């Protein structure tokens, strides 16, 4: 414990305590007392001055108290607090020869490189759905540079990828009339992780279906974020000599609800990779098509009583600049837009985007609805 230097502040501590059942009972600018209701009636002290000389000492005492109450080791509790605002994706390579917790250099290299490839492919699919990218969007490459790599862990061989999720204040309000660029940048990280989870889940389902996927199933998988590049990243690590299987666990931030419909864990062995290779080859030769995705908030609504369609403006980020994209929506989708605007729910829109410099951005919409990447609020 003496070697641990807490690398978090009071807000991370308070958020962690809140989601684990603790409640504040008293406090000041210097320190707060939090209580865990129950037979033991536990009380802990939370230091509130990160710059104070004794902050690290008080934080270590707090971690020890929490480890005792939760029957966990101090490193586990420390990591849980430090990543309370993050999604952590664990890539675990397994093979009988990895029982000592080490991994051959070549296999380790491929695991780390594939982690980046998976992230870039998922970020690209979050921007637009495409079976084979050839050239990734710049934003996708940038996103892979922004995620962090945690300490490797024993247990076969585990590489944790840490990405931002959402802090409690990053929630849009009903009738929101603008987007917050910083919030949108944070939400993009969560959307990329959600895309990766869904895409790998679809691949796992196809690999375990007991038959070769049909062209229609492969085509539909593009809509969930599967691409040639994602398949290749999986195949390269599992096909190394000292890796017999790769499993991926998604540990969603405890302050932001998991995206609905996303698997928490997927696994690929050599047999599964045979199907992944088949999907990969068909996506590589697929006719070049793509569908843009935008995420944002509904800021403008206009419809006359006798109109069949309604005019909707969605404020979003295009090349990291705030733009309003205009679209005409039929009755059902228009009412969805009204609901999302009234409730402050971010939306995801797919279709063909036209955004000339200096001119209005327009979209011919193929799908409109609440953003499925974010989940509900705790």
């Amino acid at each position: 414990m003496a070697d641990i230097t807490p690398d978090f502040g009071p807000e991370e501590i308070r958020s962690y305590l809140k989601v684990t059942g603790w409640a504040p009972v008293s406090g000041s600018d210097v320190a707060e007392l939090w209580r865990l209701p129950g037979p033991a009636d536990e009380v802990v002290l939370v230091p509130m001055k990160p710059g104070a000389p004794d902050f690290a000492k008080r934080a270590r005492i707090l971690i020890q108290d929490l480890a005792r109450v939760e029957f966990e080791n101090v490193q586990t509790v420390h990591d849980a607090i430090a990543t309370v605002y993050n999604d952590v994706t664990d890539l675990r390579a397994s093979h009988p020869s990895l029982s000592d917790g080490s991994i051959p250099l070549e296999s380790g290299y491929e695991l780390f490189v594939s982690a980046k490839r998976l992230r870039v492919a998922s970020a690209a699919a979050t921007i637009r759905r495409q079976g084979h990218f050839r050239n990734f969007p710049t934003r996708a490459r940038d996103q892979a540079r922004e995620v962090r790599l945690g300490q490797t862990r024993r247990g076969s061989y585990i590489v944790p990828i840490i990405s931002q999720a959402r802090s409690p204040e990053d929630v849009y309000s009903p009738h929101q009339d603008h987007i917050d660029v910083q919030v949108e940048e944070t939400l993009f990280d969560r959307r990329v992780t959600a895309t990766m989870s869904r895409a790998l889940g679809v691949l796992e389902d196809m690999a375990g279906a007991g038959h070769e996927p049909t062209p229609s199933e492969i085509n539909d998988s593009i809509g969930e974020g599967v691409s040639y590049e994602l398949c290749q990243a999986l195949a390269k690590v599992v096909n190394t000599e000292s890796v017999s299987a790769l499993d991926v666990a998604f540990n969603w931030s405890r302050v932001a609800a998991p995206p609905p419909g996303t698997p928490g864990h997927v696994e690929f062995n050599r047999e599964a990779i045979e199907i992944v290779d088949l999907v990969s080859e068909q996506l590589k030769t697929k006719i070049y098509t793509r569908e843009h995705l935008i995420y944002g908030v509904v800021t403008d609504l206009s419809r006359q009583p006798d109109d069949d369609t309604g005019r909707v403006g969605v404020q979003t980020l295009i090349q990291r600049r705030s733009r309003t994209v205009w679209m005409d929506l039929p009755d059902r989708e228009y009412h969805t837009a009204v609901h999302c605007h009234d409730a402050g729910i971010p939306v995801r829109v797919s279709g063909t985007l036209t955004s000339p410099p200096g001119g209005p951005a327009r979209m011919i919409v193929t799908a409109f609805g609440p953003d499925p990447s974010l989940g509900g609020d705790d």
Side-chain angles (χ1 to χ4, degrees):
M1 179 63 190
D3 295 335
I4 291 181
T5 300
D7 54 357
F8 45 73
E11 288 308 309
E12 285 90 343
I13 297 173
R14 299 173 89 248
S15 292
Y16 178 82
L17 291 175
K18 182 178 178 182
V19 298
T20 52
W22 297 75
V25 291
S26 64
S28 67
D29 292 341
V30 177
E32 291 182 350
L33 290 178
W34 285 63
R35 175 175 174 270
L36 181 66
D41 199 23
E42 298 281 355
V43 175
V44 293
L45 183 145
V46 177
M48 298 298 293
K49 292 285 190 182
D54 65 341
F55 178 83
K57 175 183 176 182
R58 301 298 175 191
R60 280 195 290 269
I61 294 172
L62 171 64
I63 293 171
Q64 287 177 323
D65 287 343
L66 293 176
R68 175 182 53 79
V69 172
E70 298 176 8
F71 302 103
E72 290 284 1
N73 64 60
V74 292
Q75 185 66 58
T76 299
V77 174
H78 170 274
D79 293 348
I81 298 173
T83 60
V84 71
Y85 293 151
N86 298 124
D87 294 326
V88 182
T89 304
D90 287 330
L91 305 179
R92 186 170 73 93
S94 59
H95 189 280
S97 66
L98 303 184
S99 58
D100 65 350
S102 65
I103 191 170
L105 180 60
E106 181 180 353
S107 300
Y109 168 79
E110 202 56 63
L111 180 62
F112 280 84
V113 172
S114 289
K116 180 181 178 182
R117 289 172 177 151
L118 286 170
R119 196 71 195 181
V120 175
S122 299
T126 304
I127 297 168
R128 59 178 186 246
R129 297 298 200 242
Q130 201 166 315
H132 183 192
F133 282 89
R134 296 183 178 86
N135 296 304
F136 287 119
T138 301
R139 180 72 183 93
R141 296 185 184 280
D142 288 346
Q143 202 279 333
R145 296 189 186 98
E146 292 163 2
V147 296
R148 293 181 291 141
L149 181 66
Q151 294 285 344
T152 55
R153 303 172 190 150
R154 286 179 178 267
S156 299
Y157 193 80
I158 302 174
V159 173
I161 308 299
I162 302 171
S163 58
Q164 294 187 74
R166 183 172 51 153
S167 56
E169 63 270 21
D170 293 343
V171 178
Y172 281 121
S173 304
H175 304 282
Q176 186 85 22
D177 61 1
H178 65 281
I179 62 169
D180 184 309
V181 174
Q182 186 174 358
V183 169
E184 282 299 309
E185 290 286 355
T186 299
L187 294 182
F188 183 71
D189 280 16
R190 162 53 74 98
R191 287 162 178 151
V192 172
T193 308
T195 299
M196 182 190 296
S197 176
R198 285 199 177 85
L200 295 182
V202 168
L203 277 175
E204 184 186 52
D205 288 344
M206 287 196 286
H211 63 81
E212 290 189 358
T214 65
S216 175
E217 289 172 331
I218 294 175
N219 191 60
D220 290 345
S221 74
I222 297 173
E224 297 296 338
V226 176
S227 66
Y228 166 78
E229 289 79 4
L230 186 87
C231 295
Q232 286 290 293
L234 275 180
K236 283 183 180 296
V237 65
V238 179
N239 285 334
T240 58
E241 185 177 348
S242 299
V243 175
S244 61
L246 174 72
D247 68 64
V248 185
F250 296 93
N251 306 295
W252 303 103
S253 166
R254 302 179 74 162
V255 298
T262 53
H265 172 265
V266 293
E267 182 172 351
F268 299 89
N269 54 26
R270 294 281 173 82
E271 293 180 354
I273 290 300
E274 292 179 7
I275 296 295
V276 172
D277 283 337
L278 187 150
V279 174
S280 174
E281 283 304 307
Q282 294 201 30
L283 290 176
K284 184 179 181 181
T285 58
K286 187 173 177 58
I287 297 174
Y288 184 79
T289 57
R290 70 182 189 185
E291 186 172 62
H292 293 92
L293 295 175
I294 63 170
Y295 306 83
V297 295
V298 176
T299 55
D300 296 85
L301 294 159
S302 176
R303 186 185 187 187
Q304 297 301 316
D306 296 330
D307 289 348
D308 293 330
T309 62
R311 186 78 163 158
V312 173
V314 173
Q315 199 171 50
T316 184
L317 292 184
I318 298 178
Q319 297 181 344
R320 293 187 155 177
R321 296 184 61 184
S322 176
R323 297 278 304 270
T324 297
V325 178
W326 297 96
M327 58 200 73
D328 294 314
L329 297 180
D331 186 73
R332 188 177 67 175
E333 285 75 11
Y334 184 78
H335 280 92
T336 299
V338 172
H339 169 69
C340 290
H341 175 261
D342 291 349
I345 300 173
V347 297
R348 185 181 78 175
V349 194
S350 59
T352 304
L353 175 67
T354 305
S355 56
R362 304 178 188 278
M363 194 168 205
I364 299 175
V365 175
T366 56
F368 183 100
D371 183 354
S373 306
L374 306 182
D377 296 324
D378 287 340

